[in-house]
Amino acid sequence: MIEAVLTLSGIGLVASLGLGLAARKFAVRRNPLIERVEQILPGANCGACGTAGCSAFAKAVVEGEAPLNACVPGGQEVARLIAELMGAAVPSTESYVAVLLCKGGKGEARSKFEYDGVSDCRAAVLVSGGDKGCAYGCLGLGTCERVCPFGAIHMDEDGLPVIDRETCTGCGVCVKNCPKGVLLLAPREASVHIRCHSHDKGAQVKRVCTVGCIGCGACVRICPYEAITLDDGLAVMDYTRCRQCGLCVDSCPTGNITSLVSQTPKARIDPERCKGHALCEAACPVDAISGEPGKTRLVDEERCIGCRICCSVCPVHAIAMVNPD
Ligand code: SF4
């Protein structure tokens, strides 16, 4: 009996020593930088960077297989911290926010039948494309609200998702999961949005929704910057051209175009720095800046659309964007 116990213990001892040595010899060394990069990341595992999650992204960055600024929720700050850690130049990062391209909630859009199935847009769309009369409209079952890793979306009483711009990181998880393709990632600084993506003819749009784009082209004609075009009967915004003057908002007969201009930061001129060059006054697309020759310029905040053009032309950096009081 004692012999058997001793034999087994001996075998166990030799095996564990062998395993210990093998573990040392064949251990895969992890670059400690990977862990440090991972600590900087938000940990949302949203996949917006194109990898399987934050761990995989950290490894890809350190091994030079992913750009330093690919973490969408982390934005510029995370890109800066990673660049600092790796001794690389800080890349610039565009910031995006999710926008709903539909205004047709329960009160505005007709249903074609009563859906009584699983409360998920991805399931509902399998039943004749969903219950909405508009084939392009938001189904309102809140899949986007549930998949958002940052809790930035909630459904309102009209059955439409409301996106909190402050909380939304632009990760795009909602965009990927919306079966109607009714969510878009737009540049964060864009304030004017066309809130429909129906390519139906105007008469059909009117039959099913009171606030859809009917392709009348009024916005196209009034935009001074040629930022809107008609694509197969649908008004489409070119955010690189839009200067956020808001003229299209009032021109739309169905009220489909919305503007956040009243909530956007406004230009404010530091009188200590301003030398009265007036380059800002000449550059402002909405004539929001005025002043006497050679004297400090003043901004009319009611008119200012927050486009930042004045900041970019001021030679003495006297203009900052501030949130409205
Ligand atoms: S936006 Fe898309 S996912 Fe969200 S409620 Fe509408 S149809 Fe569903």
Side-chain angles (χ1 to χ4, degrees), residues 100 121 137-145 155 161 174 177-180 182-183:
L100 179 69
C121 306
C138 168
L139 296 179
L141 295 175
T143 297
C144 48
E145 180 186 40
M155 303 302 293
C174 58
N177 280 278
C178 173
K180 284 290 179 180
V182 74
L183 290 158

Side-chain angles (χ1 to χ4, degrees), residues 188-273:
R188 190 168 288 274
E189 65 275 10
S191 293
V192 180
H193 300 285
I194 296 167
R195 302 277 308 281
C196 181
H197 79 139
S198 167
H199 285 279
D200 280 338
K201 295 269 177 280
Q204 169 62 10
V205 172
K206 279 186 179 172
R207 261 196 289 279
V208 294
C209 181
T210 56
V211 289
C213 171
I214 53 174
C216 66
C219 52
V220 178
R221 289 190 293 278
I222 205 164
C223 176
Y225 307 106
E226 298 179 354
I228 306 179
T229 49
L230 277 186
D231 173 19
D232 190 19
L234 172 68
V236 177
M237 175 70 79
D238 177 348
Y239 289 114
T240 63
R241 286 174 168 260
C242 173
R243 301 270 190 97
Q244 311 184 40
C245 65
L247 288 173
C248 55
V249 177
D250 294 332
S251 79
C252 178
T254 62
N256 183 258
I257 307 179
T258 56
S259 169
L260 300 168
V261 166
S262 62
Q263 301 161 32
T264 56
K266 307 288 179 186
R268 193 162 290 171
I269 297 176
D270 179 349
E272 301 288 315
R273 288 182 163 222

